[in-house]
Amino acid sequence: MNKVKFYGHSCVSIENNGKTVVIDPFLEGNPQVRYYPHDLKPDLILVTHGHDDHLGDAIRISKASGATIVSTFELANYCEKRGAKALGGNFGGSIKFDFCTVKIVPAWHTSSTTVKDTGEIIFMGTPCGFIINMGNQTFYHAGDTCVFGDMALIAELNPIHVAFLPVGGYYTMDAQEAIKAIDLLKPKMVIPIHYNTFNQILANPEEIRVHFRNKMSPIEFVLLRPGAEYHVPPL
C-alpha cells in the first residue's frame, strides 16, 4: 500500500516498501512546514520547476542523502552544477527506476530562480508535472499550472489513481479551474496542494468536494493538513 505524506504547499512524498519519492521539497521558509531538509531522506526527488517554493531544498537534500533529482534538462543541469546528483529528462517517454517509473508531462507556468547574492534571474527551461507509477498505482503531480485541454490526453495515456492539484489561484489554477481539470483527468482520488501558504493563494478547497458530492461523483476527495499522512487504499 502506498503512503502519501503532505508536507505543505506543493511538497508531497509517496512511500512504498521502504522507498520514498519526494516532490517539490520546499521546507526552509515554508510557513506551513515543521520539517527541516535533514529530516527527509528520500530515494528520489522530483522537481516541477525552478521557483524557490518548488526547487526549495532539493539540492541540499540530494547532497545529504545521495538521492537523484529528476527534472527537465535545464533544471537538472543547474542542480548538478551545484553538487547534487541529477538526471535531466523531458516530455515523452519514461524514466525507470527499480521501485517506480517517472514520466515528465507538460504544465503551463514559468520556471526561473533568482541568485540571492546578485539578484540575477536564471531561466530554468520549461516547467512540468509528473506521472509516477509506484506500488501498482499511478500518481499525477500537476506542478504549478492552469487547467489545459491536454490534461485529458495525459489521463488517456496514463489512467490516474491519485491527482495532486494546485487550487490556490493567483499563480495557478483556482478551485473552479481545478474542477474542470478533474473533469478532464478523471482521477479516482484528488489531493489539493498549493494553497493557503501565502496571502495570495488563500483558498477553500472544500468547494471542490461539495461540487463533486453534489454530482454524486465517485471521485474521492482527500484534504490533508500539512504533516498529515494517508494510506492510499487499492483503487
Side-chain angles (χ1 to χ4, degrees):
M1 183 180 293
N2 287 302
K3 180 176 73 174
V4 167
K5 185 167 185 174
F6 178 50
Y7 287 89
H9 201 54
S10 288
C11 181
V12 300
S13 66
I14 307 165
E15 181 181 344
N16 185 275
N17 288 331
K19 297 290 187 178
T20 302
V21 176
V22 66
I23 307 162
D24 286 355
F26 169 46
L27 305 179
E28 292 281 357
N30 183 345
Q32 291 186 328
V33 172
R34 298 296 179 264
Y35 297 88
Y36 298 94
H38 62 259
D39 293 325
L40 273 65
K41 297 177 175 59
D43 299 280
L44 186 65
I45 304 166
L46 309 182
V47 179
T48 61
H49 62 291
H51 292 160
D52 289 345
D53 58 329
H54 295 264
L55 174 59
D57 302 287
I59 294 173
R60 196 187 322 182
I61 295 169
S62 172
K63 290 166 73 172
S65 67
T68 299
I69 297 172
V70 171
S71 190
T72 50
F73 176 80
E74 290 81 5
L75 198 155
N77 189 48
Y78 172 89
C79 294
E80 191 170 46
K81 285 184 176 180
R82 282 151 184 82
K85 184 178 179 181
L87 180 61
N90 224 308
F91 306 119
S94 297
I95 304 171
K96 295 183 179 180
F97 300 90
D98 60 358
F99 55 91
C100 73
T101 301
V102 175
K103 180 180 290 187
I104 298 174
V105 295
W108 279 97
H109 194 58
T110 57
S111 182
S112 64
T113 192
T114 302
V115 179
K116 292 180 181 179
D117 294 338
T118 65
E120 177 190 5
I121 295 175
I122 300 175
F123 290 96
M124 295 283 206
T126 306
C128 69
F130 292 103
I131 294 288
I132 305 110
N133 291 295
M134 187 168 178
N136 296 317
Q137 293 178 327
T138 301
F139 298 82
Y140 170 52
H141 191 294
D144 277 8
T145 190
C146 59
V147 63
F148 57 98
D150 281 349
M151 286 180 167
L153 181 58
I154 291 172
E156 180 182 342
L157 295 172
N158 312 274
I160 296 165
H161 290 93
V162 181
F164 303 104
L165 299 180
V167 300
Y170 198 91
Y171 299 108
T172 71
M173 56 186 170
D174 58 16
Q176 289 302 309
E177 282 202 350
I179 287 170
K180 180 58 179 178
I182 294 166
D183 284 336
L184 295 170
L185 293 164
K186 297 178 172 56
K188 297 183 182 298
M189 179 183 295
V190 174
I191 298 177
I193 57 174
H194 205 280
Y195 68 99
N196 291 352
T197 318
F198 312 111
N199 289 336
Q200 295 97 325
I201 57 172
L202 298 179
N204 177 17
E206 283 288 347
E207 62 183 288
I208 303 173
R209 186 202 304 273
V210 171
H211 173 86
F212 284 98
R213 183 171 62 208
N214 290 341
K215 289 179 64 177
M216 302 298 288
S217 170
I219 295 172
E220 186 175 356
F221 185 84
V222 177
L223 189 60
L224 297 179
R225 293 180 179 179
E229 298 178 349
Y230 182 76
H231 291 270
V232 181
L235 298 173

